[in-house]
Amino acid sequence: MDRDLAEHSADILKAVAHPIRLQIIELLKKEEMCVGDIVHELGEKQAITSQQLNIMKNKGILACRREGAKVFYRIENKNVIKVLACVYDHCKAETRSKK
Amino acid sequence: MDRDLAEHSADILKAVAHPIRLQIIELLKKEEMCVGDIVHELGEKQAITSQQLNIMKNKGILACRREGAKVFYRIENKNVIKVLACVYDHCKAETRSKK
DNA sequence: TTAATATATTACTATATTGCAATAATACTA
DNA sequence: TAGTATTATTGCAATATAGTAATATATTAA
């Protein structure tokens, strides 16, 4: 594997490798949501949520549109959904085997 | 998604989200390898490589066995291969669309 | 036992990330 | 325009991660 691909892939992975960010992606899988609703769903503080959204927007994972005072975020990179499905499968399998 | 799954998944993702670690996994996809050969293939320093191997071993991604003076590492968690395949697909698609 | 090879660990510095509080900016509404 | 709701940004302290050099450990061979 070439170094550039490794760097770039690591970058994408880091961009989602955070509990709050994963939960945000999970929420947005169904439909776009505004920041306030995401904050409410997660029970996290507004500033933190906004920061995590921004991180993912910068990496091209999310995109957003403003509608009046609200900003709606959506998943821009549908591929991350597949990636995360693999991760969750893995984690669930691991949990089962530990019983 | 429950918080525990998010925490655990983020942990796994963080464990692979590093260029050297990705390259190690890529090497081990084909076959198990000893540390020296991995160091040689990657052109990284011995200490760094050993550290990265250890990180992934602790997270259950890799496993190893000693054979004399050498230690052979292998992928313990075959699922990460699928996860990374998704990531690479994504990165390649992205590269193409930027052309 | 000594030397050489292979791998792991430690201590340290530098850098990055996280979470927080406060505040700024934006866009509605009265 | 003033006030309010919504979202973004900034500055900071705490923590985590990365990279390095030096050293330790384990195994084999002489």
Side-chain angles (χ1 to χ4, degrees):
Chain A
M1 175 167 51
D2 91 64
R3 181 82 192 186
D4 280 350
L5 177 58
E7 300 263 6
H8 186 206
S9 301
D11 221 46
I12 301 287
L13 286 166
K14 265 197 289 186
V16 299
H18 185 289
I20 294 178
R21 296 200 287 269
L22 289 178
Q23 290 178 90
I24 289 173
I25 293 173
E26 207 57 18
L27 283 178
L28 298 182
K29 241 162 62 171
K30 309 163 207 159
E31 55 185 345
E32 68 171 11
M33 284 175 74
C34 70
V35 179
D37 287 349
I38 296 171
V39 169
H40 181 255
E41 278 291 325
L42 297 185
E44 295 290 339
K45 298 189 176 168
Q46 182 271 323
I48 293 186
T49 304
S50 178
Q51 285 159 358
Q52 306 304 337
L53 287 168
N54 191 48
I55 288 171
M56 292 193 282
K57 193 179 72 172
N58 288 338
K59 291 288 165 65
I61 293 167
L62 303 184
C64 63
R65 69 183 176 85
R66 180 176 279 275
E67 191 177 300
K70 295 186 178 178
V71 177
F72 287 83
Y73 280 82
R74 65 178 181 278
I75 295 179
E76 177 73 1
N77 235 313
K78 298 294 182 185
N79 215 307
V80 302
I81 296 175
K82 281 196 267 176
V83 174
L84 297 188
C86 287
V87 178
Y88 300 144
D89 277 354
H90 160 67
C91 290
K92 285 175 201 158
E94 205 177 359
T95 305
R96 276 196 299 280
S97 65
K98 274 180 185 165
K99 283 178 186 170
Chain B
M1 174 166 53
D2 93 64
R3 180 80 192 189
D4 281 350
L5 178 57
E7 300 262 7
H8 186 206
S9 302
D11 221 47
I12 300 286
L13 287 166
K14 266 196 290 186
V16 299
H18 184 290
I20 295 179
R21 296 200 288 270
L22 289 178
Q23 290 179 90
I24 290 174
I25 293 173
E26 208 57 18
L27 284 177
L28 299 181
K29 241 163 62 172
K30 310 162 206 158
E31 54 186 346
E32 67 170 12
M33 285 176 74
C34 70
V35 179
D37 288 348
I38 296 171
V39 168
H40 181 255
E41 277 292 324
L42 297 186
E44 294 290 340
K45 298 187 176 168
Q46 183 269 324
I48 292 187
T49 305
S50 178
Q51 285 160 358
Q52 306 305 336
L53 286 168
N54 190 47
I55 288 170
M56 291 193 283
K57 194 178 72 171
N58 288 338
K59 292 286 166 66
I61 293 167
L62 303 183
C64 63
R65 68 181 177 86
R66 181 176 277 275
E67 191 177 301
K70 296 186 177 178
V71 177
F72 287 84
Y73 280 85
R74 65 177 181 278
I75 294 179
E76 176 73 1
N77 236 315
K78 299 293 183 186
N79 216 306
V80 301
I81 296 174
K82 280 196 267 176
V83 174
L84 297 188
C86 286
V87 177
Y88 300 144
D89 278 355
H90 160 67
C91 290
K92 286 174 200 157
E94 205 176 359
T95 305
R96 276 196 301 279
S97 65
K98 275 181 184 165
K99 281 178 187 170

